[in-house]
Amino acid sequence: MSTYILGISAFYHDSAACLLKDGQVISAIQEERLSRKKHDAGFPQRAIDYCLSSEKITIDDISLIAFYEKPFMKFERIIDSYSGKTPFGFRSFKKAIKSWTSEKLWIPNIIQKKLNYKGEIIYTEHHEAHAASAFFVSPFKESTILTIDGVGERASITIAKGFDNKINIISEQQFPHSLGLFYSAFTYYCGFKVNSGEYKLMGLAPYGKSIYKDLIYKHFITVDEKGVLTLNMKYFNYEVGLKMTNNAFNKVMGQPARKSESKMSQFYKDVARSAQEVLEEIVIKLARSAKEITGLENLCMAGGVALNCKANQELLKQKVFKNIWVQPASGDCGGALGAALIGHYHYQNNTRNLIKDSPIHNAYLGNSFTDDEIENQLQELGVQYNRLSPQTIIERTAAYLNNKHIIGWFQGKMEFGPRALGSRSILASPKYQDMQSHLNLKIKKREGFRPFAPIVIEDKANEWFDIKASSKYMLFTFNVKKPKEIPSCTHLDNTARVQTVNKEDNTKMYELLSQFEKLSGLPILINTSFNVRGEPIVATVEDAVRCFFNTDMDILVIGNCIVAKDVNSNFDINTLKEVTYELD
């Protein structure tokens, strides 16, 4: 009889659920994909329902539920923070205490009531869940684990050691001194949304110069050679306030925080570059310190800062570790995965056999639809389409792409984590100079500076990028060797956030890239997430149809069905359920 463990992350941002069957990851999905509310922090009821239905089981089949943090430890830290700052921060305290007393302190009651669950519930520490999500799915028997994020219960940075089926946290740095919150403060200052826009700050950085780096070190943050950092909290407001920075911060910088959607001046581009370089330097110091503590050659990384692929590239260049593994769902959604794995290995003390199997082979862990289900839904929506053979789909799509068409690509199981990895993607040819601006403004409806990632056949990647190993999850940037041939996926600093694909991990995408190479000479496509700004990645047929008809995409390839705009000129988009999204 199989043993099922359900992992849950919730109530901060990016809620998710993950289902293990005998230690194997069967499914994992963010609540935002199903609720259509980006970074949804609510209880992941829809995600849990999907995980159970995907395996055709009920909640009675679950032997253990693991929650990704310890609520009372976190609440204690919040009370300590506010009590030390009385009477300041009363407005934010009032807001925080309401959510805690009504919801966040009563996790077992919520789980039992909403799921009708009568079994056992365990709680991991936040950073323990992050560390587990990286190490237990890595190829290493023994590894250093570096977790960097905003804050968990109290920890903001932890160094741990993973060996076999156990993880031990060795050292930690605590709130409010947080590298993740430091970066979020500059995200806020440059006019982007916290817990959402950090990747925009990273993308903006190459457009600037690091002229404010010394100023940042002088006033805002100090760090020793071990990577131990201290923030000067008189400039930051996040400890008890409703904003990340304050007037004292603005006075040092010489300008106020940029208003969202206002014109992006060179000043904020230079600030972004400066903050990015500070982050990179501190990450490298932390990695060196971690290596010195553990003496190991392998590094696993998790936490939101691990999604900063430019910092990851710099870490690779420094060769601090021989091997680096970054968990593809490194943010809080991955906490559901880590909590479930802690339940399996720590709590149930199961053995870990790397030679036999890994708990996870790729990030394709979400929902999927058969061709018959797709056809039925397209018919119900009144969409005209053609269903073709798999080979014809590949040939037609490659031809469309070679003729500068933009494709909505909806195939197989949805990705887990923030990146579209070739299942819920918008695809385009990288050889056209104007493709980046067209995709940003006409398709994604977002800021024009945002870069696009290339997806490339794995064994051809080294011909085009300075890359020596696979990069399956788009978590590292690499220098581009032939930028003039792929201008629309080469960023201003001559780097690209590369995803490599092999036939085993994603057969259909591999075949499409191979066919596109026959026509264009390029084994590369632009791959960006199938959504518009503020929208979660599309999860259902209707989501895909809505996004397709609301943008200037030319063709929708959904399963083995092709939908073209020109034969759907009479399609009434008002027949679809109207959904609006907040700008991120």
Side-chain angles (χ1 to χ4, degrees):
M1 185 176 175
S2 294
T3 299
Y4 292 99
I5 296 175
L6 181 66
I8 297 174
S9 61
F11 301 130
Y12 184 47
H13 59 93
D14 296 307
S15 295
C18 172
L19 181 66
L20 298 189
K21 177 183 179 181
D22 299 328
Q24 297 295 300
V25 182
I26 300 299
S27 56
I29 189 169
Q30 294 110 293
E31 182 72 4
E32 66 159 21
R33 303 292 169 81
L34 304 175
S35 69
R36 310 311 296 157
K37 178 183 177 183
K38 196 158 189 179
H39 303 298
D40 194 336
F43 186 77
Q45 184 70 59
R46 298 172 184 85
I48 292 167
D49 290 344
Y50 165 72
C51 287
L52 297 177
S53 64
S54 70
E55 187 63 12
K56 297 181 173 59
I57 61 173
T58 70
I59 196 66
D60 294 331
D61 296 301
I62 299 296
S63 63
L64 181 69
I65 288 180
F67 191 76
Y68 84 128
E69 62 183 12
K70 296 185 175 180
F72 282 96
M73 283 181 64
K74 193 162 193 170
F75 184 64
E76 184 181 58
R77 184 260 298 169
I78 289 168
I79 293 297
D80 286 349
S81 295
Y82 282 108
S83 63
K85 300 291 182 178
T86 304
F88 302 105
F90 179 74
R91 282 178 60 209
S92 60
F93 175 74
K94 185 177 178 182
K95 184 177 179 181
I97 203 72
K98 183 178 179 181
S99 68
W100 277 93
T101 55
S102 65
E103 185 174 63
K104 296 178 182 179
L105 279 176
W106 317 114
I107 303 299
N109 297 29
I110 291 170
I111 290 173
Q112 290 162 359
K113 184 177 180 180
K114 287 186 177 290
L115 302 181
N116 194 27
Y117 179 68
K118 301 177 178 63
E120 194 167 10
I121 303 170
I122 64 167
Y123 303 86
T124 71
E125 289 191 29
H126 187 99
H127 273 229
E128 184 184 36
H130 275 316
S133 75
F135 174 65
F136 288 135
V137 302
S138 78
F140 311 136
K141 182 175 182 179
E142 189 175 33
S143 178
T144 303
I145 312 165
L146 180 60
T147 299
I148 314 172
D149 64 2
V151 61
E153 291 86 359
R154 290 184 182 269
S156 62
I157 300 169
T158 54
I159 296 169
K161 181 177 179 180
F163 178 77
D164 199 15
N165 68 341
K166 292 291 185 289
I167 287 169
N168 291 305
I169 294 176
I170 300 168
S171 70
E172 68 177 48
Q173 297 184 43
Q174 293 191 348
F175 181 88
H177 306 292
S178 163
L179 184 57
L181 291 174
F182 162 84
Y183 199 74
S184 291
F186 279 90
T187 299
Y188 167 83
Y189 182 73
C190 289
F192 305 129
K193 200 171 182 179
V194 173
N195 292 328
S196 174
E198 284 78 5
Y199 58 93
K200 296 185 186 183
L201 192 73
M202 180 181 68
L204 182 65
Y207 291 88
K209 297 179 180 178
S210 59
I211 59 178
Y212 298 107
K213 189 166 72 172
D214 290 343
L215 187 73
I216 289 170
Y217 277 126
K218 181 179 179 180
H219 292 279
F220 302 139
I221 189 168
T222 57
V223 57
D224 66 17
E225 287 306 306
K226 300 291 186 182
V228 177
L229 58 93
T230 304
L231 295 183
N232 189 337
M233 294 308 298
K234 79 175 185 179
Y235 297 111
F236 298 92
N237 203 38
Y238 62 76
E239 191 173 9
V240 294
L242 295 171
K243 296 179 180 180
M244 295 299 294
T245 59
N246 57 26
N247 289 333
F249 186 103
N250 297 347
K251 188 174 181 180
V252 169
M253 295 306 300
Q255 292 196 36
R258 173 179 167 263
K259 292 183 178 180
S260 179
E261 309 308 310
S262 65
K263 184 179 178 181
M264 181 64 72
S265 69
Q266 187 61 43
F267 169 77
Y268 295 104
K269 296 174 185 178
D270 294 337
V271 170
R273 178 64 174 268
S274 304
Q276 175 65 29
E277 288 197 7
V278 170
L279 177 95
E280 291 169 11
E281 291 172 1
I282 294 173
V283 167
I284 290 166
K285 285 183 177 181
L286 286 166
R288 292 189 190 282
S289 178
K291 173 74 176 294
E292 187 177 312
I293 290 170
T294 67
L296 301 175
E297 293 292 340
N298 301 320
L299 173 67
C300 292
M301 294 180 69
V305 175
L307 294 171
N308 192 301
C309 52
K310 185 63 173 61
N312 294 346
Q313 179 189 19
E314 294 305 310
L315 191 54
L316 274 179
K317 284 182 182 178
Q318 294 296 318
K319 298 181 179 178
V320 180
F321 288 88
K322 185 176 180 180
N323 305 297
I324 301 176
W325 168 264
V326 183
Q327 210 277 99
S330 286
D332 274 10
C333 67
L337 169 64
L341 291 167
I342 286 288
H344 179 72
Y345 289 116
H346 281 205
Y347 189 73
Q348 295 183 345
N349 199 32
N350 288 295
T351 57
R352 181 169 177 250
N353 191 335
L354 284 177
I355 297 173
K356 180 183 177 184
D357 214 353
S358 169
I360 185 173
H361 299 285
N362 53 56
Y364 307 117
L365 297 167
N367 59 354
S368 63
F369 301 87
T370 67
D371 280 329
D372 287 344
E373 288 172 333
I374 290 167
E375 271 203 276
N376 289 338
Q377 291 183 49
L378 290 175
Q379 289 170 8
E380 288 177 8
L381 295 170
V383 176
Q384 300 297 312
Y385 66 93
N386 285 319
R387 181 170 172 174
L388 305 171
S389 69
Q391 183 59 36
T392 304
I393 284 286
I394 295 298
E395 292 170 357
R396 291 267 186 97
T397 305
Y400 282 130
L401 288 162
N402 196 45
N403 288 324
K404 207 178 178 179
H405 286 75
I406 297 171
I407 308 295
W409 181 257
F410 186 106
Q411 304 291 329
K413 292 176 74 68
M414 184 170 60
E415 303 91 339
F416 182 54
R419 312 287 191 220
L421 301 171
S423 281
R424 305 288 185 272
S425 295
I426 296 173
L427 305 175
S429 170
K431 65 183 178 181
Y432 300 104
Q433 185 73 46
D434 62 347
M435 187 60 81
Q436 181 200 7
S437 61
H438 182 66
L439 281 168
N440 270 327
L441 300 176
K442 298 293 185 179
I443 308 297
K444 301 286 284 186
K445 301 180 180 179
R446 68 187 194 183
E447 302 90 346
F449 66 81
R450 301 272 294 278
F452 288 101
I455 184 168
V456 58
I457 294 174
E458 188 172 283
D459 58 12
K460 304 285 181 74
N462 185 249
E463 299 171 23
W464 294 87
F465 307 99
D466 186 17
I467 184 172
K468 296 178 175 61
S470 65
S471 178
K472 297 201 303 184
Y473 301 121
M474 209 187 286
L475 288 166
F476 296 86
T477 55
F478 300 93
N479 290 336
V480 181
K481 291 182 175 180
K482 305 174 186 179
K484 291 182 179 179
E485 295 185 46
I486 51 171
S488 51
C489 63
T490 301
H491 204 21
L492 199 66
D493 58 357
N494 198 53
T495 67
R497 190 181 68 205
V498 179
Q499 180 195 353
T500 60
V501 172
N502 59 45
K503 195 169 185 177
E504 181 181 6
D505 282 335
N506 192 327
T507 302
K508 205 162 189 175
M509 177 53 68
Y510 176 88
E511 291 174 348
L512 178 61
L513 287 164
S514 299
Q515 183 65 26
F516 182 72
E517 183 182 24
K518 289 179 184 177
L519 299 178
S520 68
L522 303 174
I524 304 164
L525 288 168
I526 290 173
N527 171 28
T528 187
S529 56
F530 196 157
N531 59 348
V532 294
R533 184 181 173 192
E535 177 188 17
I537 292 173
V538 298
T540 66
V541 174
E542 184 171 350
D543 295 338
V545 168
R546 182 187 300 106
C547 188
F548 174 67
F549 281 108
N550 271 316
T551 66
D552 286 348
M553 274 184 274
D554 301 296
I555 302 291
L556 172 60
V557 184
I558 185 162
N560 287 314
C561 296
I562 283 187
V563 178
K565 283 270 174 70
D566 56 3
V567 298
N568 279 280
S569 57
N570 294 324
F571 179 76
D572 183 4
I573 198 167
N574 294 318
T575 61
L576 300 177
K577 180 183 176 183
E578 186 177 356
V579 180
T580 58
Y581 305 106
E582 291 183 15
L583 292 182
D584 60 3

